[in-house]
Amino acid sequence: MRILIYGGSFNPPHLGHIRSVQTAIDALQPAMTLLVPAAVPPHKALASGSPTAEQRLEMTALAAVEIPGCEASGIEIGREGPSYTADTLRELREQYPDAELIFLMGTDMLLSIESWHDPVYIMAQASLAVFARESGREQEIAAQAVCLRRKYGARVYQLTGQPLEVSSTQVRSLLPRRQGREYLCEGVYAYIIRHRLYEAKPDLAWLRERAYAYLKPTRVEHVRGAETMARALAERWGADSGDAAEAAILHDCTKKLTRDEQLRMCEKYDIIPDKWELENDRLLHARTGAAFAADGFGAPEHIVNAIRWHTTGRPDMTLLEQIVFLADAIEESRKPYPALEAIRKAAFIDLDAATELCLRRTLAFLEEQGEPIHPDTARTREYYLKKLEEKGASPIPWAAQEK
Ligand code: ATP
């Protein structure tokens, strides 16, 4: 029986790893393939801020799902000290005395194997399979294979195939820039975003696809409009337009839930709704949406808060909160309401004046409808009115034709 073993930091596992292991499986037809993340990689220190060993194991398991017959092994994660391949092979040899163990590696690892802990034992116990990480190094690999054969009696399988030239280092540097998704399988990417490993920010096309799945189809136009407006406002006022887009994409992610579903979500996320929120479904979705964006999509605090306050607003909102609050109210597909055009215009001239007018019109509308008014809305309006006074600016008159 052949057992293929693929060790690495898998920080994170990427499509280069998957291509490599798939090529090895096709060529060697092992009965079992193990992806073995190292707890403490002896060859290279883990980059600072790296995920825990358990998280790397979980990601490796998600990558293994992509490859039939492959599984992730925690054999090194459970061991103290440096994760020496020789120790792993010793454990596997005890478990499988008659198996041919084949240790798969990339070019860099083959070239450095003599510096590993106990290379003699490694090459006595396992055959080596090598897959070039980059094109054009076949001769170098072949020469090293000859050398290892002579010196250690090593058995080396030189695999051929088109490599995918990518490294975990490269992926880690792309993720905070909302890039790099193309090098990861879906499960691993979703995991990284959910836990915001590597300071990752989601690719916005990916986020849209995932977040829209939680919307009623009729709400998509509004969410698209809110994103466009949030980006425009962010550009106008010097906020991060990616963060503004992310918050806008997620802001209504629990809007379609029924009251019962909202309340169940409140329970799950330890949200205690106040009496206004209990009376009015429209208020609750801002709180459950914020909690769900954090849990499901790993949204960081500043984005969670922009979602949390997008309906009522709050005094002294951050720039991002104010942008999302207004973008929701004035995006292009909003049905006309009194003062809409004035708020839209003001949003690009004086954000506080636009916020005050928007809140003033909400209060008037609620009063007219006889609906209860959440004190946050009233308090927020008062705060922005005072802020305008302090700046020496006048509130925007409510144009007669818009009443
Ligand atoms: P880092 O950039 O953090 O050093 P890495 O991309 O080199 O990580 P590791 O987890 O350290 O990935 O590598 C595990 C094994 O996978 C090693 O044998 C390595 O040579 C091999 N490998 C890594 N990337 C590729 C790739 N793109 N193609 C083929 N093999 C690869």
Side-chain angles (χ1 to χ4, degrees), residues 13 16 39 65 102 107 118 132 142 170 185 207 221 229 261 281 298 325:
V65 167
I102 307 178
T107 333
D118 210 347
Q170 193 185 341
C185 64
L207 186 67
E221 192 187 0
M229 184 58 78
E261 288 167 335
D281 291 352
F325 171 81

Side-chain angles (χ1 to χ4, degrees), residues 9-199:
S9 306
F10 299 124
N11 187 26
H14 50 66
L15 294 185
H17 294 129
I18 293 182
R19 166 107 34 113
S20 166
V21 81
Q22 189 61 64
T23 306
I25 291 175
D26 292 345
L28 303 168
Q29 300 289 316
M32 188 198 290
T33 299
L34 301 176
L35 301 190
V36 186
V40 184
H43 315 299
K44 44 188 173 189
L46 287 173
S48 72
S50 286
T52 63
E54 285 71 21
Q55 286 175 319
R56 285 186 292 110
L57 176 60
E58 280 181 48
M59 286 191 280
T60 306
L62 291 165
V65 167
E66 300 292 312
I67 314 160
C70 186
E71 58 187 276
S73 161
I75 187 169
E76 293 189 357
I77 300 289
R79 238 177 20 227
E80 301 270 298
S83 306
Y84 292 128
T85 300
D87 295 340
T88 303
L89 293 176
R90 197 166 288 114
E91 278 188 52
L92 290 171
R93 176 56 70 216
E94 272 169 27
Q95 260 179 285
Y96 306 100
D98 303 320
E100 181 190 6
L101 303 178
I102 307 178
F103 196 84
L104 174 63
M105 58 183 71
T107 333
D108 50 335
M109 293 295 147
L110 184 78
L111 296 177
S112 68
I113 194 165
E114 287 181 277
S115 67
W116 293 15
H117 178 72
D118 210 347
V120 174
Y121 182 80
I122 293 174
M123 285 181 265
Q125 290 303 322
S127 311
L128 307 180
V130 189
F131 185 70
R133 294 185 65 152
E134 54 284 281
S135 308
R137 300 191 68 180
E138 293 73 14
Q139 281 191 334
E140 212 179 334
I141 294 177
Q144 172 74 344
V146 170
C147 168
L148 296 176
R149 241 173 247 135
R150 265 203 220 115
K151 250 169 128 172
Y152 302 91
R155 290 168 304 280
V156 182
Y157 298 101
Q158 195 168 341
L159 305 171
T160 49
Q162 185 61 35
L164 184 68
E165 293 190 25
V166 63
S167 68
S168 297
T169 306
Q170 193 185 341
V171 173
R172 290 196 300 272
S173 78
L174 290 170
L175 288 168
R177 291 183 264 153
R178 301 190 189 278
Q179 295 167 10
R181 176 188 152 209
E182 67 274 28
Y183 295 120
L184 298 167
C185 64
E186 168 62 22
V188 171
Y189 186 69
Y191 183 95
I192 289 173
I193 294 301
R194 187 163 185 217
H195 299 277
R196 295 291 165 129
L197 305 178
Y198 312 109
E199 296 177 15

Side-chain angles (χ1 to χ4, degrees), residues 122-323:
I122 293 174
M123 285 181 265
Q125 290 303 322
S127 311
L128 307 180
V130 189
F131 185 70
R133 294 185 65 152
E134 54 284 281
S135 308
R137 300 191 68 180
E138 293 73 14
Q139 281 191 334
E140 212 179 334
I141 294 177
Q144 172 74 344
V146 170
C147 168
L148 296 176
R149 241 173 247 135
R150 265 203 220 115
K151 250 169 128 172
Y152 302 91
R155 290 168 304 280
V156 182
Y157 298 101
Q158 195 168 341
L159 305 171
T160 49
Q162 185 61 35
L164 184 68
E165 293 190 25
V166 63
S167 68
S168 297
T169 306
Q170 193 185 341
V171 173
R172 290 196 300 272
S173 78
L174 290 170
L175 288 168
R177 291 183 264 153
R178 301 190 189 278
Q179 295 167 10
R181 176 188 152 209
E182 67 274 28
Y183 295 120
L184 298 167
C185 64
E186 168 62 22
V188 171
Y189 186 69
Y191 183 95
I192 289 173
I193 294 301
R194 187 163 185 217
H195 299 277
R196 295 291 165 129
L197 305 178
Y198 312 109
E199 296 177 15
K201 292 180 179 180
D203 170 288
L204 293 174
W206 177 89
L207 186 67
R208 267 180 225 117
E209 210 183 309
R210 300 293 165 298
Y212 290 179
Y214 293 97
L215 301 176
K216 275 189 186 153
T218 48
R219 183 150 298 275
V220 173
E221 192 187 0
H222 163 66
V223 172
R224 276 189 200 283
E227 180 189 345
T228 305
M229 184 58 78
R231 278 174 184 281
L233 289 172
E235 269 153 39
R236 166 68 184 88
W237 297 107
D240 182 310
S241 64
D243 284 358
E246 192 179 329
I249 291 169
L250 291 171
H251 83 283
D252 270 348
C253 62
T254 57
K255 181 93 177 187
K256 84 165 183 192
L257 301 186
T258 62
R259 166 175 288 257
D260 281 352
E261 288 167 335
Q262 294 279 1
L263 292 175
R264 272 200 295 279
M265 210 172 244
C266 285
E267 240 176 81
K268 176 173 176 193
Y269 293 124
D270 292 329
I271 296 169
I272 302 172
D274 61 31
K275 75 177 177 111
W276 295 274
E277 288 162 341
L278 284 174
E279 273 173 38
N280 186 342
D281 291 352
R282 273 180 302 188
L283 294 174
L284 216 44
H285 82 284
R287 296 191 71 182
T288 53
F292 185 67
D295 181 34
F297 295 98
E301 199 181 347
H302 64 293
I303 288 177
V304 168
N305 281 335
I307 300 168
R308 163 69 184 90
W309 300 107
H310 84 268
T311 305
T312 59
R314 67 164 162 176
D316 198 15
M317 283 186 273
T318 64
L319 178 57
L320 185 67
E321 287 165 19
Q322 226 171 336
I323 284 172

